[in-house]
Amino acid sequence: MKKTLLALAFASAGLLAVPAAFAQSAPTHTDGWFVNGNVGRTSIDKGPYNDHDTGYAIGGGYRWSVDPFVAIGVEAGYNDLGNIHVKNIFNSNDVIEQGRSQLHGWTAGVNGHFNLAQNWYVSARGGLYSWKGHGLSNDVNPVRKSLDDTSWYAGAGVGYDFSNNVSLGLNYDHYDAKKSQVDLSTNMVSVSAEYRF
C-alpha cells in the first residue's frame, strides 16, 4: 500500500509539471462522445490473495454539459484486472496450481467531469460491474471456483485537459466482486487518456 501511495504521489507531481508547457485557455468543450483507456496497478487483499498486478480498462460514452464547468454522462467499458496469484508464505511458489484471481468484466454507469481551474478537472464514476473470475474459497481447504455475477464499481480521478479534445488523468477505481465465500474485489490506480469528439 505504501508503494502504491508513493507511486501515486510521483505520478501526481509529474502530472502537475506538464501543464506549464501546454498552458492555454480553459476548455469549453467537455460534452459529447468520448473514448478513454486506463492502464495501471491492480491490488487485492482478500482471503488467500494479497498481491498486485497490471490491469487495463477501455471505455466510451456520452456527456452532456450542465454548465461550462460541469459535464455529466453515461459510460460503458471493459476491464481486465490482471492475474493475482496466491503465494506460499514460506516461498514464492503458488499455493495450488493455477491459484489465480483472473478478474475481468464489463461496466455500465454514469460519470462526471468537473473543471476546477484553468484546464484542471476532477472526475467521478460509478455503476454496474458484470464480472467473471476465478478464485479460491476462503476456508481451511481452499477450492478453486469459476465465478460470475453483477455487482458495482466506483472511482474518482484528477487530470488535465490539454485541449477541448484530449485529457490525461490519474485515477483510483474499486471493482466489487464477491460470491460464494470468494472475494475478488480489486482496486486499480491508473493513468488514463481520453479523447472527446
Side-chain angles (χ1 to χ4, degrees):
M1 182 65 173
K2 289 181 182 178
K3 289 181 182 178
T4 301
L5 292 176
L6 186 60
L8 185 61
F10 281 127
S12 296
L15 199 55
L16 292 172
V18 172
F22 295 94
Q24 22 179 298
S25 61
T28 58
H29 171 68
T30 55
D31 59 342
W33 293 101
F34 66 89
V35 293
N36 54 33
N38 302 39
V39 64
R41 175 162 285 200
T42 60
S43 61
I44 184 172
D45 183 12
K46 307 288 184 201
Y49 297 102
N50 185 1
D51 204 356
H52 54 79
D53 197 12
T54 300
Y56 70 89
I58 55 173
Y62 191 89
R63 284 193 204 99
W64 293 269
S65 183
V66 177
D67 67 37
F69 300 100
V70 177
I72 305 293
V74 294
E75 65 181 16
Y78 175 81
N79 63 44
D80 186 324
L81 301 179
N83 297 312
I84 295 176
H85 298 265
V86 178
K87 298 294 183 186
N88 189 310
I89 62 172
F90 300 108
N91 57 49
S92 62
N93 297 328
D94 292 346
V95 173
I96 66 171
E97 189 176 334
Q98 297 187 2
R100 298 178 292 180
S101 65
Q102 299 178 322
L103 184 62
H104 56 94
W106 295 93
T107 58
V110 296
N111 65 75
H113 188 101
F114 310 95
N115 293 329
L116 297 176
Q118 183 174 348
N119 297 72
W120 288 99
Y121 72 87
V122 294
S123 63
R125 67 203 139 274
L128 297 175
Y129 183 43
S130 177
W131 58 270
K132 291 186 178 185
H134 300 282
L136 299 178
S137 59
N138 299 331
D139 51 28
V140 177
N141 297 309
V143 176
R144 182 170 165 78
K145 297 182 177 184
S146 294
L147 304 165
D148 61 89
D149 204 354
T150 300
S151 191
W152 59 273
Y153 74 98
V158 61
Y160 188 82
D161 290 318
F162 290 95
S163 71
N164 286 338
N165 303 100
V166 177
S167 63
L168 185 67
L170 186 63
N171 305 284
Y172 174 84
D173 295 285
H174 176 78
Y175 298 91
D176 186 74
K178 302 175 193 170
K179 185 176 181 180
S180 302
Q181 298 181 343
V182 177
D183 190 348
L184 301 176
S185 298
T186 301
N187 301 316
M188 181 165 76
V189 176
S190 64
V191 174
S192 66
E194 181 174 279
Y195 183 80
R196 293 179 290 275
F197 300 94

